[in-house]
Amino acid sequence: MDEALLRSLTPSVLGILVRRGADFAAAEDAVQEALIEAVRTWPADPPRDPKGWLVTVAWRRFLDATRADTARRRREDLVDEEPPPGPAPAVDDTLQLYFLCAHPSLTPSSAVALTLRAVGGLTTRQIAQAYLVPEATMAQRISRAKRTVSGVRFDRPGDVATVLRVLYLVFNEGYSGDVDLAAEAIRLTRQLAARVDHPEVAGLLALMLIHHARRASRTASDGSLVPLAEQDRGRWDTGAIAEGVRILQAALARDRLGEFQAQAAIAALHADAPTAEQTDWVQIVEWYDELVLLTDSPVVRLNRAVAVGEADGPRAGLAALAALDDALPRHTAVAAYLHERDGDVVTAARLYAEAARKAPNLAERDHLTRRAARLNSARRSR
C-alpha cells in the first residue's frame, strides 16, 4: 500500500467534495472512510485511476451520511451529481483548501490547527507539539473548529497570514519531524508567492529554500542527526541558497519587515559562513532581537540564548537562558550545550541525558543520548 500516494491525493479529493457542495467536516469524514476502504481493498485489487476511485467512494460515503441526516430531503438532489466513473480532473486544490480552512469564523490558532489536521496530514500529537500544548487540549481545539465550520459555506476564505502560519508549521514538521512534508510546503508557498505580492510570503519562501538546501547534510548514513556546526557544507544545495537569498533581499528592500523575513535572514547568515567558526553570530543576535520584538515568542528567546552564547560566550548564553521557563521544549538541551561550551562536562552530561528523555522524536533522543555518553566517557578516561 502506497501511503505516500494516498496522502498526496487526499487534499485534491477533499477539494472536489467541497466544490460539489459538501460541508467541510462531512467531506473530511467521507474522505477518511474512503482512505480506510482503499487500505483494505487496494492491495488485492489496485484501481487503474486511484484519484477517481477515491472521489467516487468518498462521494458515495458523503451521500450515505447525508441521507441519514435530518436534512436528507433537502440534499437528495445531490445524488444526481455523483461524479461519473473515469479519470478525475487534474486540478490541484490544495492551496485553495488552505485558504478555505482559514475561514473568518475561526480564530487564527483554530484555523491553523484545523488545516494542519485536515489538509496538512499531521496528527493531533504533532500539532500539539508545534503549539507547545497537551495533545488533549489540541484535540478539543480541532473538534471545536470542526463544529464551528460544519454547515458553513466556504465562500469567504481566510487571510494570508493564517495560511503562511500553516505552511510554516507544515514545513517544520516535514523538515524535522517524522512526516516528509517539506517539499510539498515549498511547492505550495511558491504557488502562493506567484499569486500574492507580499514581502512575508517571499520571506517564508526564502526561509524554506535556505533550510531545505541543507537537508542532505542534516543526517548521517546511519540516520543520526548531524548538528549544524558539524555538517558537510559541501553537500549544501548552493543553487537553492542563492535563490533564497535573492528572494530575501528583494523582500527586505521593501522595508516591511516580518518574522519570516527575519528568520530567513538568520538562515542566510548561517548559509553564508564558509565554516561554523566564521559564522557572524553578532549579527545573528541582532536579528533575533528583531524577532523578539516581532513575536515575543519563547522559542525565539530560546534560540537567541544559543546565539548569545556563541557571540558573547557560554555564560552570557546561560544568563539569557535563566530568564526563560525551564519547562520550554529543548530548554534542557540548550542548557546542556551551553554548560558543555563552558567546560562543565559533569552538568552537561547530566542535562543531555535528561533532555534525551524529553526528546520529541527518536532521532533527537539518540543524538542527545550519544552526546551524554561521549562526555561521560571522556570524563572517565581522564
Side-chain angles (χ1 to χ4, degrees):
M1 170 57 60
D2 190 342
E3 294 183 5
L5 173 62
L6 287 176
R7 190 164 59 245
S8 68
L9 291 175
T10 298
S12 184
V13 175
L14 183 58
I16 290 172
L17 265 64
V18 170
R19 289 205 312 274
R20 288 183 176 274
D23 69 70
F24 189 87
E28 186 191 11
D29 290 342
V31 172
Q32 290 300 319
E33 290 187 21
L35 293 174
I36 292 171
E37 185 69 11
V39 171
R40 188 180 70 82
T41 62
W42 283 13
D45 184 22
R48 287 193 298 271
D49 176 24
K51 181 177 177 180
W53 188 98
L54 286 171
V55 170
T56 300
V57 173
W59 186 253
R60 287 172 178 166
R61 293 292 189 274
F62 166 71
L63 292 178
D64 289 343
T66 300
R67 292 190 190 100
D69 193 77
T70 55
R72 177 178 59 84
R73 276 178 255 178
R74 183 172 61 85
R75 296 179 182 265
E76 275 182 346
D77 59 332
L78 294 175
V79 175
D80 297 329
E81 298 178 19
E82 179 176 340
V91 178
D92 184 356
D93 299 294
T94 308
L95 187 59
Q96 181 63 18
L97 283 173
Y98 274 68
F99 273 97
L100 293 178
C101 285
H103 197 271
S105 62
L106 295 172
T107 63
S109 61
S110 294
V112 170
L114 177 63
T115 314
L116 290 172
R117 183 71 186 92
V119 188
L122 274 65
T123 66
T124 303
R125 176 183 58 81
Q126 290 167 327
I127 302 169
Q129 289 175 348
Y131 269 90
L132 310 181
V133 299
E135 184 175 348
T137 300
M138 183 53 65
Q140 292 174 356
R141 184 179 299 177
I142 294 171
S143 295
R144 284 196 300 269
K146 287 182 179 180
R147 287 195 299 270
T148 299
V149 300
S150 180
V152 170
R153 289 192 61 82
F154 285 88
D155 54 359
R156 292 187 299 139
D159 64 2
V160 172
T162 301
V163 174
L164 285 177
R165 176 63 49 191
V166 175
L167 289 169
Y168 174 65
L169 291 173
V170 169
F171 176 82
N172 278 347
E173 189 59 44
Y175 189 72
S176 61
D178 47 27
V179 179
D180 187 1
L181 296 168
E184 173 68 357
I186 291 174
R187 183 183 72 84
L188 293 173
T189 306
R190 284 191 186 279
Q191 288 186 8
L192 185 60
R195 298 183 191 182
V196 179
D197 182 22
H198 193 287
E200 273 293 82
V201 178
L204 179 59
L205 179 57
L207 174 65
M208 289 178 174
L209 288 170
I210 295 170
H211 274 315
H212 204 59
R214 303 200 298 258
R215 180 135 194 200
S217 63
R218 292 186 71 251
T219 55
S221 57
D222 61 359
S224 59
L225 291 180
V226 180
L228 175 61
E230 300 171 19
Q231 289 175 15
D232 179 359
R233 298 180 180 226
R235 299 183 66 194
W236 290 0
D237 184 344
T238 55
I241 291 173
E243 181 188 4
V245 169
R246 285 196 303 272
I247 293 170
L248 172 63
Q249 288 173 338
L252 291 174
R254 300 176 67 173
D255 199 24
R256 292 168 57 193
L257 183 63
E259 62 174 296
F260 295 123
Q261 295 169 74
Q263 287 192 56
I266 292 169
L269 286 167
H270 283 296
D272 185 58
T275 66
E277 293 73 23
Q278 293 172 277
T279 303
D280 189 347
W281 286 106
V282 172
Q283 193 173 168
I284 287 175
V285 171
E286 292 173 355
W287 276 111
Y288 271 121
D289 289 339
E290 294 284 354
L291 261 179
V292 168
L293 292 174
L294 289 165
T295 68
D296 196 27
S297 162
V299 174
V300 170
R301 291 181 182 275
L302 182 69
N303 292 332
R304 179 185 177 278
V306 176
V308 168
E310 299 289 353
D312 301 327
R315 295 192 179 181
L318 287 167
L321 188 65
L324 303 177
D325 184 352
D326 59 10
L328 192 65
R330 296 188 171 88
H331 183 285
T332 308
V334 170
Y337 173 73
L338 291 172
H339 277 290
E340 180 184 2
R341 290 268 335 273
D342 196 37
D344 185 355
V345 295
V346 174
T347 301
R350 176 179 57 79
L351 290 173
Y352 276 131
E354 181 182 338
R357 293 192 292 271
K358 302 176 182 177
N361 56 65
L362 182 61
E364 190 169 334
R365 186 192 71 189
D366 289 348
H367 169 71
L368 293 167
T369 300
R370 280 193 294 271
R371 291 192 80 104
R374 176 177 55 80
L375 290 181
N376 284 326
S377 177
R379 181 165 55 88
R380 286 193 295 267
S381 65
R382 287 178 183 173

